[in-house]
Amino acid sequence: MKRFFFHFRRYWLQRTIILFRNRFGERGVIIALSFFIGASGAVAAALLKLLVSSLEKFCQWIFSHPGDSLERIGWTAFFFLTPLVGIALSYLVQRFFGGVRYAKSLSPLILALHLHKTSIPFKEIWNHILSAGLAVGFGGSAGLEAPSVLTGAAIGANTGSRLHIDKKQRLLLIGCGTAAAISAIFNSPVGGVLFAVEVLLPEFSVGALIPMLISSGVAAVVYRIIFSKSGEHMLALTPDWRTNAVFFYILCAIFSAVIGVYVIRVAYQLGAALKHKIPNSRLRIFAGGSALCVILLIFPSLRGQGYQHIVNVFEGNLAALKNSAPLLHFLGNDGLIITLVIVAGILIKVIASVLTVESGGDGGIFAPSMFIGAFTGFAFARIVNLTGIIELQEANFVLAGMCGVFTAVMRAPLTGVFLIAEVTGGYVLLVPLMISSAVAWFVARLFEPESIYRKALIENKLLVGDRDHAMLQRMPVRLSIDKEYPSLRVNDRASDLAELLESKSTTRDIYPVLDEHGYLQGVVHLDKTLTAMLNPQFFNTLLIFDLMVPPRIILSTDDDLAWAMTNIERYGVSHLPVRDQNGKFAGFISKSSIFSRYRQSVRDSDSF
């Protein structure tokens, strides 16, 4: 009976989609689905936030649990071990629900979208919520943005696949889901759209922004309905910026870019070292989780996402920073304690984040990069102010540092500008943020060409930075093979080739030489035989064996057009032979056919 009702509902749902498509067209269907995906993404983000908030309150209850001194010591000790507990529980969720191919970073999603793969398991809609909620809620030092983005992408992909939406349009629905996730988490509709376009789907045209804008706007509205206080911005609106500080905004952006490069390299190298040195996953949970507990014991300000401490540095609340590290009070010097907390926020936050995720937890580098940027901007402004050269507005430089480090780490300059602008509730600092983002992007690229998400993909040759090369890389050779070539045999006479040309049955300037089983023996280039053909007596004594040349390289049908184009340019030829999976000759691929396929791909990417 359940199966009957399931098929009944599915039939009428698909029937409704078909009628809607016939009435409003494919674009109308995508617009309608963007509303649904936006609302669903907001609900998923709200569930994640509720889970994290509940677990954080539970941990605070543990820390302040009443009782005698001995009992309180036991509860306090357990509180400082909760990050390890969260990592272990998150790992169990990943292992039993996500499987061995569970992805915690956006890198696999970027690669999948690059290859136009839109299949995402349905369970990805909820397992990231549970896994990240446990890891971060129990004190793990990571952000919720990457899990939210992966959840939004799964919502978009499964919505498209269940309703049999075209594969190309399914990519757009994935973009809608990711935009909705960022919009809901940060109350930043424009930032969500720009993040989807800059980081995940850079090849889509302006027309594709419309569904993403709808999803992002709907997500912001639904999230605000669920959390009535979400309309309040994390940081209060800042005072206007001063023109005499422009030079220092540039210096701050350079400093932020250097810190951003530090974040990328530490995250990449420490994560690889953890997996290499401790290949056993259970041992890695214990070792990495224990190290994380020690770090958080000394610097509790690094627990969780750390947004409250961003507010503290923004407001210049140094007393809160000092009180956030009770174990350092033995130093007796408030200035030294505050300095150590700020340095830890800049240099150790990324280590804590990597330990959280790579030890077995779940989370993203999105929020940690903003945390690091806030401390970076505050430290820069405070050092300049202490010199007495100029009096800088420290709150403004906190935001400039957030924008600079975020841009350096993510390589999403527009997202950095509008995300921070929307976090403040206004665009007063738009010009300084633009300066910070542009300078940080430029300086960071001098030291580290790729973003934190693309670095591993580029180094493992899974991704290329050039857009044209990337488009060709997604298209297999088998789609552009020309099979209509008359073949020759090794023992054929050269006069047979002359008769073939005189019959005008072919206009080819290249001919394959095959054996009786269809394997390629060589290639005859017509332009290289013209000299011999001018001497008929000599030419008629030759065999095809005398005219053919061995192919420089033989492509496979599974190779991509980028590899084909690379070899065409390397060897200075216009055609390359291709063999099938059995090794037999399948045809030739030409430079003109590659260009034709490329132009078609460009037209497809420009159409919505």
Side-chain angles (χ1 to χ4, degrees), residues 192-244:
V193 174
L194 292 176
F195 177 82
V197 172
E198 285 190 303
V199 177
L200 300 178
L201 298 169
E203 298 172 9
F204 272 74
S205 62
V206 175
L209 293 177
I210 298 173
M212 294 185 195
L213 284 169
I214 293 173
S215 292
S216 187
V218 169
V221 172
V222 173
Y223 194 82
R224 183 174 296 190
I225 293 174
I226 297 174
F227 295 101
S228 57
K229 294 184 179 181
S230 66
E232 299 176 4
H233 299 281
M234 184 175 71
L235 304 176
L237 188 63
T238 59
D240 201 359
W241 57 281
R242 301 168 185 166
T243 55
N244 62 347

Short mmCIF file of all heavy atoms in Angstrom, two decimals, residues 192-244:
data_model
loop_
_atom_site.label_atom_id
_atom_site.label_comp_id
_atom_site.label_asym_id
_atom_site.label_seq_id
_atom_site.Cartn_x
_atom_site.Cartn_y
_atom_site.Cartn_z
N GLY A 192 25.47 35.36 -0.58
CA GLY A 192 25.21 33.98 -0.93
C GLY A 192 25.27 33.74 -2.42
O GLY A 192 25.87 32.76 -2.89
N VAL A 193 24.67 34.63 -3.19
CA VAL A 193 24.69 34.49 -4.65
C VAL A 193 26.11 34.62 -5.19
O VAL A 193 26.56 33.84 -6.03
CB VAL A 193 23.76 35.53 -5.30
CG1 VAL A 193 23.89 35.49 -6.82
CG2 VAL A 193 22.33 35.29 -4.90
N LEU A 194 26.83 35.62 -4.70
CA LEU A 194 28.19 35.84 -5.18
C LEU A 194 29.10 34.68 -4.83
O LEU A 194 29.98 34.30 -5.61
CB LEU A 194 28.74 37.15 -4.60
CG LEU A 194 28.07 38.43 -5.12
CD1 LEU A 194 28.62 39.64 -4.40
CD2 LEU A 194 28.27 38.56 -6.62
N PHE A 195 28.91 34.09 -3.65
CA PHE A 195 29.72 32.93 -3.27
C PHE A 195 29.48 31.76 -4.23
O PHE A 195 30.42 31.10 -4.69
CB PHE A 195 29.39 32.51 -1.84
CG PHE A 195 30.13 31.27 -1.39
CD1 PHE A 195 31.43 31.38 -0.92
CD2 PHE A 195 29.53 30.03 -1.43
CE1 PHE A 195 32.13 30.25 -0.52
CE2 PHE A 195 30.21 28.90 -1.02
CZ PHE A 195 31.52 29.00 -0.56
N ALA A 196 28.21 31.51 -4.55
CA ALA A 196 27.90 30.42 -5.48
C ALA A 196 28.52 30.66 -6.85
O ALA A 196 29.04 29.73 -7.48
CB ALA A 196 26.38 30.28 -5.60
N VAL A 197 28.49 31.91 -7.30
CA VAL A 197 29.01 32.23 -8.63
C VAL A 197 30.54 32.23 -8.65
O VAL A 197 31.16 31.68 -9.57
CB VAL A 197 28.47 33.59 -9.11
CG1 VAL A 197 29.14 34.03 -10.39
CG2 VAL A 197 26.96 33.52 -9.30
N GLU A 198 31.16 32.83 -7.65
CA GLU A 198 32.63 32.97 -7.65
C GLU A 198 33.35 31.67 -7.32
O GLU A 198 34.39 31.37 -7.90
CB GLU A 198 33.06 34.04 -6.65
CG GLU A 198 32.79 35.45 -7.11
CD GLU A 198 33.44 36.47 -6.20
OE1 GLU A 198 33.17 36.46 -5.00
OE2 GLU A 198 34.24 37.28 -6.71
N VAL A 199 32.81 30.89 -6.39
CA VAL A 199 33.54 29.73 -5.89
C VAL A 199 33.10 28.44 -6.57
O VAL A 199 33.92 27.61 -6.94
CB VAL A 199 33.36 29.60 -4.36
CG1 VAL A 199 34.04 28.34 -3.82
CG2 VAL A 199 33.91 30.84 -3.66
N LEU A 200 31.80 28.26 -6.79
CA LEU A 200 31.29 26.97 -7.26
C LEU A 200 30.96 26.94 -8.74
O LEU A 200 31.26 25.97 -9.43
CB LEU A 200 30.05 26.58 -6.45
CG LEU A 200 30.25 26.43 -4.95
CD1 LEU A 200 28.93 26.09 -4.27
CD2 LEU A 200 31.29 25.36 -4.65
N LEU A 201 30.33 27.98 -9.26
CA LEU A 201 29.85 27.97 -10.65
C LEU A 201 30.32 29.21 -11.39
O LEU A 201 29.51 30.04 -11.82
CB LEU A 201 28.32 27.89 -10.67
CG LEU A 201 27.70 26.64 -10.05
CD1 LEU A 201 26.21 26.80 -9.90
CD2 LEU A 201 28.02 25.41 -10.88
N PRO A 202 31.63 29.36 -11.58
CA PRO A 202 32.13 30.58 -12.23
C PRO A 202 31.81 30.67 -13.71
O PRO A 202 31.99 31.73 -14.31
CB PRO A 202 33.64 30.49 -12.01
CG PRO A 202 33.92 29.02 -11.88
CD PRO A 202 32.71 28.45 -11.20
N GLU A 203 31.32 29.60 -14.34
CA GLU A 203 31.09 29.61 -15.77
C GLU A 203 29.68 30.04 -16.16
O GLU A 203 29.39 30.22 -17.33
CB GLU A 203 31.37 28.22 -16.35
CG GLU A 203 32.82 27.78 -16.16
CD GLU A 203 33.01 26.33 -16.56
OE1 GLU A 203 32.07 25.77 -17.13
OE2 GLU A 203 34.07 25.78 -16.28
N PHE A 204 28.80 30.18 -15.19
CA PHE A 204 27.42 30.54 -15.53
C PHE A 204 27.32 32.01 -15.89
O PHE A 204 28.03 32.85 -15.36
CB PHE A 204 26.49 30.21 -14.36
CG PHE A 204 25.96 28.80 -14.40
CD1 PHE A 204 26.77 27.74 -14.08
CD2 PHE A 204 24.66 28.56 -14.79
CE1 PHE A 204 26.30 26.44 -14.12
CE2 PHE A 204 24.17 27.27 -14.84
CZ PHE A 204 24.99 26.20 -14.51
N SER A 205 26.40 32.31 -16.76
CA SER A 205 26.22 33.68 -17.24
C SER A 205 25.34 34.47 -16.28
O SER A 205 24.82 33.95 -15.30
CB SER A 205 25.60 33.66 -18.64
OG SER A 205 24.33 33.05 -18.59
N VAL A 206 25.14 35.74 -16.62
CA VAL A 206 24.36 36.63 -15.76
C VAL A 206 22.92 36.14 -15.62
O VAL A 206 22.30 36.28 -14.56
CB VAL A 206 24.39 38.06 -16.32
CG1 VAL A 206 23.50 38.99 -15.52
CG2 VAL A 206 25.82 38.59 -16.34
N GLY A 207 22.39 35.55 -16.66
CA GLY A 207 21.01 35.07 -16.59
C GLY A 207 20.79 34.04 -15.50
O GLY A 207 19.69 33.93 -14.96
N ALA A 208 21.84 33.28 -15.16
CA ALA A 208 21.71 32.26 -14.13
C ALA A 208 21.58 32.86 -12.75
O ALA A 208 21.22 32.16 -11.80
CB ALA A 208 22.91 31.32 -14.18
N LEU A 209 21.87 34.15 -12.60
CA LEU A 209 21.78 34.79 -11.29
C LEU A 209 20.32 34.90 -10.82
O LEU A 209 20.07 34.96 -9.62
CB LEU A 209 22.40 36.19 -11.33
CG LEU A 209 23.92 36.27 -11.55
CD1 LEU A 209 24.34 37.72 -11.62
CD2 LEU A 209 24.66 35.56 -10.42
N ILE A 210 19.38 34.92 -11.75
CA ILE A 210 17.99 35.15 -11.37
C ILE A 210 17.47 34.07 -10.43
O ILE A 210 16.97 34.38 -9.34
CB ILE A 210 17.10 35.28 -12.63
CG1 ILE A 210 17.56 36.49 -13.45
CG2 ILE A 210 15.63 35.40 -12.25
CD1 ILE A 210 16.88 36.61 -14.79
N PRO A 211 17.56 32.78 -10.78
CA PRO A 211 17.10 31.75 -9.82
C PRO A 211 17.89 31.78 -8.52
O PRO A 211 17.32 31.54 -7.45
CB PRO A 211 17.31 30.44 -10.58
CG PRO A 211 17.37 30.82 -12.01
CD PRO A 211 18.00 32.17 -12.04
N MET A 212 19.20 32.04 -8.60
CA MET A 212 20.00 32.08 -7.38
C MET A 212 19.58 33.24 -6.49
O MET A 212 19.53 33.11 -5.26
CB MET A 212 21.49 32.20 -7.73
CG MET A 212 22.06 31.00 -8.44
SD MET A 212 23.84 31.16 -8.69
CE MET A 212 24.12 29.88 -9.91
N LEU A 213 19.29 34.39 -7.08
CA LEU A 213 18.81 35.53 -6.31
C LEU A 213 17.49 35.22 -5.63
O LEU A 213 17.26 35.59 -4.46
CB LEU A 213 18.66 36.75 -7.22
CG LEU A 213 19.96 37.46 -7.63
CD1 LEU A 213 19.67 38.47 -8.73
CD2 LEU A 213 20.61 38.15 -6.44
N ILE A 214 16.62 34.52 -6.34
CA ILE A 214 15.34 34.15 -5.75
C ILE A 214 15.55 33.21 -4.57
O ILE A 214 15.00 33.42 -3.47
CB ILE A 214 14.43 33.50 -6.81
CG1 ILE A 214 14.03 34.54 -7.87
CG2 ILE A 214 13.19 32.89 -6.16
CD1 ILE A 214 13.27 33.95 -9.03
N SER A 215 16.34 32.14 -4.77
CA SER A 215 16.60 31.19 -3.69
C SER A 215 17.24 31.87 -2.50
O SER A 215 16.88 31.62 -1.34
CB SER A 215 17.50 30.06 -4.19
OG SER A 215 16.84 29.26 -5.13
N SER A 216 18.22 32.73 -2.76
CA SER A 216 18.92 33.42 -1.68
C SER A 216 17.99 34.35 -0.92
O SER A 216 18.01 34.38 0.32
CB SER A 216 20.10 34.21 -2.27
OG SER A 216 20.90 34.74 -1.24
N GLY A 217 17.15 35.09 -1.63
CA GLY A 217 16.21 35.99 -0.97
C GLY A 217 15.16 35.24 -0.17
O GLY A 217 14.84 35.61 0.97
N VAL A 218 14.62 34.14 -0.74
CA VAL A 218 13.63 33.34 -0.03
C VAL A 218 14.25 32.74 1.24
O VAL A 218 13.62 32.70 2.30
CB VAL A 218 13.07 32.23 -0.94
CG1 VAL A 218 12.25 31.23 -0.15
CG2 VAL A 218 12.24 32.84 -2.06
N ALA A 219 15.50 32.27 1.13
CA ALA A 219 16.18 31.68 2.29
C ALA A 219 16.33 32.71 3.41
O ALA A 219 16.12 32.39 4.59
CB ALA A 219 17.55 31.15 1.88
N ALA A 220 16.69 33.94 3.05
CA ALA A 220 16.84 34.99 4.07
C ALA A 220 15.52 35.27 4.76
O ALA A 220 15.46 35.45 5.99
CB ALA A 220 17.40 36.26 3.43
N VAL A 221 14.42 35.30 3.99
CA VAL A 221 13.11 35.57 4.58
C VAL A 221 12.67 34.43 5.49
O VAL A 221 12.24 34.64 6.63
CB VAL A 221 12.07 35.79 3.46
CG1 VAL A 221 10.66 35.89 4.05
CG2 VAL A 221 12.40 37.05 2.68
N VAL A 222 12.79 33.18 5.01
CA VAL A 222 12.36 32.03 5.81
C VAL A 222 13.20 31.90 7.07
O VAL A 222 12.68 31.63 8.17
CB VAL A 222 12.45 30.73 4.98
CG1 VAL A 222 12.18 29.50 5.83
CG2 VAL A 222 11.48 30.79 3.80
N TYR A 223 14.50 32.11 6.95
CA TYR A 223 15.38 32.02 8.12
C TYR A 223 15.03 33.09 9.14
O TYR A 223 15.05 32.85 10.35
CB TYR A 223 16.83 32.16 7.67
CG TYR A 223 17.85 31.76 8.71
CD1 TYR A 223 18.19 30.42 8.89
CD2 TYR A 223 18.49 32.70 9.50
CE1 TYR A 223 19.13 30.04 9.83
CE2 TYR A 223 19.42 32.34 10.45
CZ TYR A 223 19.74 31.00 10.60
OH TYR A 223 20.67 30.62 11.54
N ARG A 224 14.67 34.27 8.66
CA ARG A 224 14.29 35.35 9.58
C ARG A 224 12.96 35.04 10.26
O ARG A 224 12.73 35.41 11.42
CB ARG A 224 14.22 36.68 8.84
CG ARG A 224 13.92 37.86 9.75
CD ARG A 224 13.99 39.18 9.01
NE ARG A 224 15.33 39.45 8.52
CZ ARG A 224 15.70 40.63 8.01
NH1 ARG A 224 14.83 41.62 7.94
NH2 ARG A 224 16.93 40.80 7.58
N ILE A 225 12.07 34.35 9.55
CA ILE A 225 10.80 33.95 10.16
C ILE A 225 11.05 32.93 11.28
O ILE A 225 10.45 32.99 12.35
CB ILE A 225 9.85 33.36 9.10
CG1 ILE A 225 9.42 34.47 8.12
CG2 ILE A 225 8.63 32.72 9.74
CD1 ILE A 225 8.60 33.96 6.95
N ILE A 226 11.97 31.97 11.02
CA ILE A 226 12.27 30.95 12.02
C ILE A 226 12.97 31.56 13.23
O ILE A 226 12.62 31.29 14.38
CB ILE A 226 13.13 29.84 11.40
CG1 ILE A 226 12.36 29.14 10.27
CG2 ILE A 226 13.54 28.82 12.47
CD1 ILE A 226 13.17 28.13 9.50
N PHE A 227 13.98 32.40 12.95
CA PHE A 227 14.70 33.09 14.02
C PHE A 227 14.35 34.57 13.92
O PHE A 227 14.91 35.29 13.10
CB PHE A 227 16.21 32.89 13.89
CG PHE A 227 16.65 31.47 14.06
CD1 PHE A 227 16.94 30.70 12.96
CD2 PHE A 227 16.74 30.91 15.31
CE1 PHE A 227 17.35 29.39 13.10
CE2 PHE A 227 17.14 29.59 15.47
CZ PHE A 227 17.44 28.82 14.36
N SER A 228 13.44 35.01 14.76
CA SER A 228 12.95 36.39 14.65
C SER A 228 14.05 37.41 14.85
O SER A 228 13.97 38.54 14.38
CB SER A 228 11.84 36.64 15.68
OG SER A 228 12.32 36.37 17.00
N LYS A 229 15.14 37.01 15.52
CA LYS A 229 16.24 37.95 15.78
C LYS A 229 17.31 37.90 14.69
O LYS A 229 18.32 38.57 14.81
CB LYS A 229 16.88 37.64 17.13
CG LYS A 229 15.97 37.91 18.32
CD LYS A 229 16.72 37.66 19.63
CE LYS A 229 15.82 37.94 20.83
NZ LYS A 229 16.54 37.73 22.11
N SER A 230 17.09 37.09 13.69
CA SER A 230 18.13 36.99 12.65
C SER A 230 18.25 38.26 11.84
O SER A 230 19.23 38.47 11.14
CB SER A 230 17.82 35.82 11.71
OG SER A 230 16.65 36.08 10.97
N GLY A 231 17.25 39.14 11.93
CA GLY A 231 17.37 40.41 11.24
C GLY A 231 18.38 41.32 11.88
O GLY A 231 18.82 42.28 11.28
N GLU A 232 18.75 41.02 13.15
CA GLU A 232 19.76 41.82 13.80
C GLU A 232 21.13 41.41 13.27
O GLU A 232 21.43 40.23 13.19
CB GLU A 232 19.70 41.61 15.32
CG GLU A 232 18.36 42.01 15.93
CD GLU A 232 18.31 41.69 17.42
OE1 GLU A 232 19.35 41.24 17.95
OE2 GLU A 232 17.26 41.88 18.02
N HIS A 233 21.95 42.37 12.95
CA HIS A 233 23.24 42.08 12.36
C HIS A 233 24.24 41.73 13.45
O HIS A 233 24.17 42.21 14.58
CB HIS A 233 23.73 43.27 11.54
CG HIS A 233 22.80 43.59 10.41
ND1 HIS A 233 22.78 42.88 9.24
CD2 HIS A 233 21.84 44.55 10.29
CE1 HIS A 233 21.86 43.38 8.43
NE2 HIS A 233 21.28 44.39 9.05
N MET A 234 25.21 40.88 13.08
CA MET A 234 26.19 40.43 14.06
C MET A 234 27.00 41.59 14.60
O MET A 234 27.34 41.63 15.78
CB MET A 234 27.13 39.41 13.39
CG MET A 234 28.15 38.80 14.34
SD MET A 234 29.13 37.51 13.54
CE MET A 234 30.15 38.48 12.44
N LEU A 235 27.30 42.56 13.76
CA LEU A 235 28.09 43.72 14.16
C LEU A 235 27.28 44.99 13.91
O LEU A 235 26.60 45.11 12.88
CB LEU A 235 29.41 43.77 13.38
CG LEU A 235 30.28 42.52 13.48
CD1 LEU A 235 31.50 42.67 12.60
CD2 LEU A 235 30.69 42.25 14.92
N ALA A 236 27.37 45.93 14.84
CA ALA A 236 26.64 47.19 14.69
C ALA A 236 27.24 48.01 13.56
O ALA A 236 28.41 47.88 13.22
CB ALA A 236 26.70 47.98 16.00
N LEU A 237 26.42 48.87 12.98
CA LEU A 237 26.87 49.71 11.88
C LEU A 237 28.03 50.60 12.33
O LEU A 237 27.98 51.24 13.38
CB LEU A 237 25.70 50.58 11.39
CG LEU A 237 25.97 51.40 10.13
CD1 LEU A 237 26.23 50.47 8.96
CD2 LEU A 237 24.77 52.29 9.82
N THR A 238 29.06 50.63 11.55
CA THR A 238 30.27 51.35 11.91
C THR A 238 30.20 52.81 11.47
O THR A 238 29.43 53.16 10.59
CB THR A 238 31.49 50.70 11.23
OG1 THR A 238 31.28 50.74 9.81
CG2 THR A 238 31.66 49.27 11.68
N PRO A 239 31.01 53.68 12.08
CA PRO A 239 31.08 55.07 11.61
C PRO A 239 31.74 55.16 10.25
O PRO A 239 32.38 54.21 9.79
CB PRO A 239 31.93 55.75 12.69
CG PRO A 239 32.75 54.65 13.27
CD PRO A 239 31.88 53.43 13.23
N ASP A 240 31.55 56.28 9.62
CA ASP A 240 32.11 56.47 8.28
C ASP A 240 33.64 56.40 8.33
O ASP A 240 34.27 56.67 9.35
CB ASP A 240 31.67 57.83 7.73
CG ASP A 240 31.78 57.88 6.22
OD1 ASP A 240 32.21 56.87 5.63
OD2 ASP A 240 31.44 58.92 5.64
N TRP A 241 34.24 56.02 7.20
CA TRP A 241 35.69 55.86 7.16
C TRP A 241 36.35 57.19 6.78
O TRP A 241 35.73 58.08 6.23
CB TRP A 241 36.06 54.78 6.15
CG TRP A 241 35.54 55.04 4.77
CD1 TRP A 241 34.28 54.83 4.32
CD2 TRP A 241 36.27 55.58 3.66
NE1 TRP A 241 34.16 55.19 3.01
CE2 TRP A 241 35.37 55.64 2.57
CE3 TRP A 241 37.59 55.99 3.48
CZ2 TRP A 241 35.76 56.12 1.33
CZ3 TRP A 241 37.96 56.46 2.24
CH2 TRP A 241 37.06 56.52 1.18
N ARG A 242 37.63 57.30 7.09
CA ARG A 242 38.38 58.53 6.86
C ARG A 242 39.33 58.35 5.68
O ARG A 242 39.99 57.32 5.55
CB ARG A 242 39.17 58.90 8.11
CG ARG A 242 38.31 59.09 9.35
CD ARG A 242 39.15 59.17 10.60
NE ARG A 242 38.33 59.25 11.81
CZ ARG A 242 38.80 59.06 13.03
NH1 ARG A 242 40.09 58.78 13.21
NH2 ARG A 242 37.99 59.14 14.08
N THR A 243 39.41 59.37 4.87
CA THR A 243 40.26 59.29 3.67
C THR A 243 41.74 59.24 4.02
O THR A 243 42.54 58.70 3.25
CB THR A 243 39.99 60.49 2.75
OG1 THR A 243 40.18 61.70 3.50
CG2 THR A 243 38.58 60.45 2.20
N ASN A 244 42.15 59.80 5.16
CA ASN A 244 43.57 59.78 5.51
C ASN A 244 44.04 58.40 5.96
O ASN A 244 45.21 58.20 6.23
CB ASN A 244 43.88 60.82 6.60
CG ASN A 244 43.12 60.52 7.89
OD1 ASN A 244 42.20 59.71 7.92
ND2 ASN A 244 43.51 61.20 8.96
#
